[in-house]
Amino acid sequence: MVPVDSGVAFKDVQECKMDALLKHSFHVSNLMVQASLCRGLVARASFPWVEKFLASLSLSKAASEELVTVQIGAAFLSDGMYDHLRAVAKSMAFGVTTRCTLWLKGWSGDVASKAKLVRFPFKGSLL
């Protein structure tokens, strides 16, 4: 690893490629978070819409049952969004940990210090 103004540059081509791939993976995960949030928020917003339709319109029993089915589907999508966000967040944390480990590989410090730095938890603003 060679220090440069914008961070570090890896001497090994493979390490440089791994760092670039991990960076791209992080950006793709960010796009997944955005898409999941949009999908989940629209699904969650459909709850009051369905409630308004059910309360304001005189619908047949079959139509009311169909709207309730839409509401159940929206609840399923909303719950899935939270699960998806949790999984993507874990994936992003693993990628950050991997990049940190890759950066520390070339550091001339002792092994115990490197291990301690890699084990730092991801909590709150500590990333």
Side-chain angles (χ1 to χ4, degrees):
M1 203 167 14
V2 179
V4 293
D5 289 338
S6 62
V8 294
F10 295 101
K11 291 179 185 177
D12 186 19
V13 176
Q14 291 174 335
E15 290 175 350
C16 185
K17 182 68 174 179
M18 284 191 304
D19 185 57
L21 290 172
L22 287 166
K23 191 184 296 184
H24 289 304
S25 173
F26 189 85
H27 289 299
V28 169
S29 294
N30 186 29
L31 293 174
M32 289 169 37
V33 166
Q34 292 174 10
S36 184
L37 281 173
C38 291
R39 183 183 67 228
L41 292 174
V42 169
R44 186 61 69 186
S46 69
F47 279 89
W49 297 337
V50 170
E51 292 296 327
K52 285 180 184 177
F53 282 131
L54 289 172
S56 65
L57 301 175
S58 56
L59 300 171
S60 67
K61 184 176 179 183
S64 295
E65 289 173 356
E66 289 297 321
L67 278 176
V68 169
T69 303
V70 168
Q71 195 173 29
I72 292 169
F76 181 76
L77 286 174
S78 293
D79 292 343
M81 181 228 11
Y82 293 118
D83 294 339
H84 184 258
L85 285 175
R86 250 186 249 110
V88 171
K90 285 181 182 180
S91 173
M92 292 172 87
F94 292 147
V96 169
T97 302
T98 305
R99 282 187 79 196
C100 181
T101 305
L102 185 62
W103 296 335
L104 290 174
K105 181 181 173 187
W107 182 42
S108 61
D110 61 306
V111 176
S113 297
K114 288 181 184 182
K116 188 175 181 180
L117 286 171
V118 171
R119 284 193 305 261
F120 276 144
F122 291 109
K123 292 182 181 175
S125 62
L126 299 175
L127 183 60

